């Protein structure tokens, strides 16, 4: 059975073939699955090893997180700029153009960040990778914090270059469920119902993981397709989900599925106001979607996705280690 060295969204050290430009791993960084050199299962791993606590003290992990920080900053700046510019244009189908541009930008950014940190730039990817066990939960926490800080920097950069009127009209391209709009008898709240928005977030997150990220996690598909093709599919699927969520609902005030909590957090911290209304949806929805996807990986046949051995940081392994503490 092959190792997970061909997993696209794994650690940054195993992204490039040929053994070049690889960061030296830390002692707790998952290099392979839980099979030793003789093809046998590894001995029991402690809770700290399962959680990858050593990653908190590993300089290479923190250096890799800089790729996540800068990648997320550029992502927020570019995506929110695309949202604003497409709806400011006179095009008849701004949603379609916006979705295509988002797919292209995400693909390019993933290709740029993959050799540095593994190319997450999204808490959904980091959290689901940690649940599956491709990276440690400690590394995921570091990456998610870096992604949130990057989103904050991206929103600050966008605020610095747009006019106050555009900032107010488009809320810095942030994630909204409802907005306050003028009505015949005064201001009214328009947008999507909370339950609908939450279900859309859960569904779109699961589809995102199932239809694209799964190819990156599966060593067989990642090797057969190549990381350029896999990352292009990731960008395409995200673009399609943006188009579907903004077109099918067709509700003024609803900005579409976020599928990236950090991207929603950046503008909310800078702009504030109604961007905090229902903001929890853009965190709770993806979290539920990630958990549902993880459950799916446990239901499928055990010979698929290295499941007969499991990954070092797999969540079930963490729970078992916790029960033995």
């Amino acid at each position: 059975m092959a190792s997970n060295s061909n997993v696209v969204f794994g650690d940054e050290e195993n992204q490039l073939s040929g053994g070049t430009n690889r960061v030296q791993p830390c002692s707790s960084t998952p290099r392979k699955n839980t099979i030793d050199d003789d093809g046998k299962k590894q001995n029991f791993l402690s809770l700290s090893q399962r959680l990858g606590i050593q990653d908190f003290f590993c300089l290479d992990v923190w250096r890799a997180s800089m790729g996540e920080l800068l990648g997320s900053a550029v992502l927020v700046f570019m995506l929110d700029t695309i949202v604003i510019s497409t709806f400011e244009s006179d095009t008849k189908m701004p949603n379609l153009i916006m979705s295509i541009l988002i797919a292209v930008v995400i693909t390019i950014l993933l290709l740029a960040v993959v050799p540095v940190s593994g190319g997450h730039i999204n808490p959904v990817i980091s959290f689901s990778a940690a649940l599956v066990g491709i990276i440690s939960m400690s590394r995921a926490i570091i990456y998610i914090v870096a992604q949130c800080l990057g989103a904050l920097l991206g929103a600050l950069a966008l605020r610095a270059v747009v006019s106050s009127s555009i900032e107010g009209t488009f809320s810095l391209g942030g994630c909204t469920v409802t907005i306050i709009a003028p009505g015949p008898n005064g201001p009214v709240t328009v947008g999507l119902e909370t339950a609908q928005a939450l279900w859309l977030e859960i569904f779109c997150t699961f589809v995102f993981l199932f239809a694209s990220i799964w190819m990156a996690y599966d060593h067989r598909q990642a090797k057969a397709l190549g990381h350029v093709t896999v990352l292009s599919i990731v960008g395409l699927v995200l673009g399609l989900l943006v188009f579907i969520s903004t077109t099918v609902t067709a509700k003024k005030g609803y900005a579409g599925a976020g599928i990236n909590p950090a991207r929603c957090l950046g503008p909310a911290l800078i702009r504030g106001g109604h961007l905090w209304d229902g903001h929890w949806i853009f965190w709770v929805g993806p979290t539920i979607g990630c958990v549902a996807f993880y459950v799916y990986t446990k239901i499928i046949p055990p010979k698929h996705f290295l499941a007969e051995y499991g990954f070092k940081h797999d969540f079930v392994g963490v729970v078992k280690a916790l029960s033995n503490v």
Side-chain angles (χ1 to χ4, degrees), residues 36-273:
D36 60 22
D37 294 335
D38 296 325
K40 299 178 181 179
K41 291 184 180 181
Q42 292 180 354
N43 295 327
F44 173 77
L45 297 173
S46 66
L47 179 60
S48 63
Q49 289 175 316
R50 290 283 188 181
L51 293 174
I53 300 299
Q54 185 62 33
D55 283 343
F56 283 120
F57 308 98
C58 179
L59 180 60
D60 284 340
V61 174
W62 289 98
R63 292 170 64 185
S65 70
M66 289 300 298
E68 294 295 312
L69 188 149
L70 294 177
S72 296
V74 176
L75 177 72
V76 168
F77 181 84
M78 293 297 295
L79 293 194
D80 292 351
T81 301
I82 288 172
V83 171
I84 293 172
S85 59
T86 51
F87 282 98
E88 276 282 273
S89 64
D90 295 328
T91 180
K92 295 182 179 179
M93 296 189 68
N95 289 4
L96 178 60
I97 295 178
M98 177 182 67
S99 302
I100 293 173
L101 292 176
I102 286 175
V104 172
V105 167
I106 289 176
T107 301
I108 294 173
L109 286 178
L110 287 176
L111 288 170
V113 181
V114 155
V116 180
S117 63
H120 296 196
I121 58 176
N122 188 338
V124 166
I125 297 178
S126 297
F127 182 55
S128 64
L131 288 178
V132 171
I134 294 175
I135 66 172
S136 69
M137 189 60 71
S138 300
R139 180 184 286 258
I141 291 172
I142 294 172
Y143 277 10
I144 291 172
V145 170
Q147 291 155 6
C148 292
L149 290 175
L152 177 63
L153 293 177
L156 280 171
L158 181 62
R159 187 180 192 181
V161 299
V162 300
S163 64
S164 58
S165 60
I166 290 180
E167 176 188 342
T169 302
F170 294 97
S171 302
L172 286 178
C175 305
T176 58
V177 177
T178 60
I179 61 172
I180 304 298
N185 299 316
V188 295
T189 301
V190 296
L192 206 61
E193 295 292 333
T194 299
Q196 289 178 293
L198 180 61
W199 277 112
L200 262 175
E201 206 68 34
I202 295 171
F203 176 74
C204 288
T205 299
F206 183 85
V207 170
F208 169 55
L209 293 170
F210 176 80
S212 61
I213 301 302
W214 179 244
M215 297 181 188
Y217 288 173
D218 188 341
H219 69 288
R220 300 175 304 173
Q221 295 190 70
K223 181 178 180 180
L225 297 175
H227 75 273
V228 174
T229 301
V230 170
L231 296 180
S232 298
I233 294 173
V234 171
L236 177 62
V237 170
L238 274 176
L240 286 172
L241 289 174
V242 169
F243 177 74
I244 292 171
S245 65
T246 55
T247 304
V248 173
T249 57
K251 289 274 190 171
K252 181 180 179 181
Y254 178 60
I259 323 176
N260 187 331
R263 189 192 80 78
C264 298
L265 179 64
L269 288 172
I270 301 303
R271 177 67 182 173

